[in-house]
Amino acid sequence: MIYQLNKYPADRYNVLVPVTTLQAESNLQKITVSEVQLDTRQSYDNKGPSKDIYFERSSNAYAITKVGGMKLAAAANISIISTTPGRTEGCQRCIEMARATGKPAVCGTCPHTYDVAVTVTIRVPEPSGGFRVMSATKEIDCVLTSQSMTDAQYKRFLPHRTAMAESKAFMRAIRAALGLAGTYNLDDLKKPFIVARIVPNLDAPEIKNAVASSYLQSMGLLFEMPDAKPQIAAPAQPEQVVQPFPDEDGMTPPPQEFSPEPQEPEPQQWQPTSPPATVQPRQIAPAAQPQPAPLVCADCGQIIQDTPMRNGGTFKAASIAEYSSKAYGRVLCIECQHRANRR
């Protein structure tokens, strides 16, 4: 399958693919093209309703925020592998100096105590169908930042410096992966961004069967207890038949059938002229077992029932309640679990 990207002219679209032609290697893959439109309702003082872009006064242009970057990353099937805090350049210099001189530096009195550095690692799909791993690091020098802020602004900035470094490191990685520019003018941001990627072809029978098998297996692990073993019923005891001895007249009475219960029947006398009657053991009614309380959903108030699975199994009500208690902190039915996932 060959897909031409020439139908997206540069004056109307922002094409984030470095080639003009994409080709799937086999029928197990197909090419999808996503069109992402960012919200450009932003003013020069950043008081607009948009969360996708912001105005950068230093460059007198607009830049894409992390929210907008996440939209582009989702369209390109880019996933975050890890977000790791690291050492800043100032801390690394102190460590190297301490190793060279053998005298550790006193930490806490340095003006760069509040500096932070964060590294974000992402996984980017390749046009060939594979993946490549990319990392980007952002360090915030609080000494330089404080020089451009008032004391009140700097106090508000300090608690959020790590989150800001993580967002900027993520945007660095996204810009390198998709070929995004650092800043745009507003007219360019109003144009849709075109992202093309190669995904598994779910119409192929091999891919369809593999996805269905994986889905059913994951659903079984989700609602069935993995350590639950089927109970094996004890084998039934055969009825015992006792052959009596002949009486004084030489007549042999018919055999008696006794219940397997460990109860002794009352003694009886045999009549030589008529067969004896069979003595029935006394029946003892079993003790009433307490019925377990029904499981009720904490959101809708409905009683949780056993639910059949597509593969022929059954979602036990106890398993559903136990899973929802661990995952959501309360007992939920399957419908309310689906609603909670969509929130």
Side-chain angles (χ1 to χ4, degrees), residues 85-89 112-118 137-142 157-158 160-166:
R87 296 192 184 100
T88 62
E89 293 184 0
H112 295 278
T113 302
Y114 298 109
D115 293 356
V116 293
V118 178
T137 303
K138 173 62 179 178
E139 179 178 345
I140 294 181
D141 190 335
C142 293
F157 156 78
L158 280 180
H160 307 286
R161 64 190 186 279
T162 303
M164 294 176 61
E166 187 270 336

Side-chain angles (χ1 to χ4, degrees), residues 125-167:
E126 290 282 2
S128 61
F131 292 91
R132 58 191 170 103
V133 177
M134 301 183 62
S135 298
T137 303
K138 173 62 179 178
E139 179 178 345
I140 294 181
D141 190 335
C142 293
V143 176
L144 295 178
T145 305
S146 62
Q147 297 175 0
S148 60
M149 294 182 179
T150 62
D151 293 340
Q153 292 174 343
Y154 184 68
K155 290 180 180 179
R156 291 195 300 268
F157 156 78
L158 280 180
H160 307 286
R161 64 190 186 279
T162 303
M164 294 176 61
E166 187 270 336
S167 299

Side-chain angles (χ1 to χ4, degrees), residues 296-314:
V296 181
C297 179
D299 287 357
C300 64
Q302 298 292 330
I303 297 178
I304 301 176
Q305 303 288 345
D306 295 347
T307 304
M309 297 175 61
R310 294 183 178 179
N311 60 352
T314 303

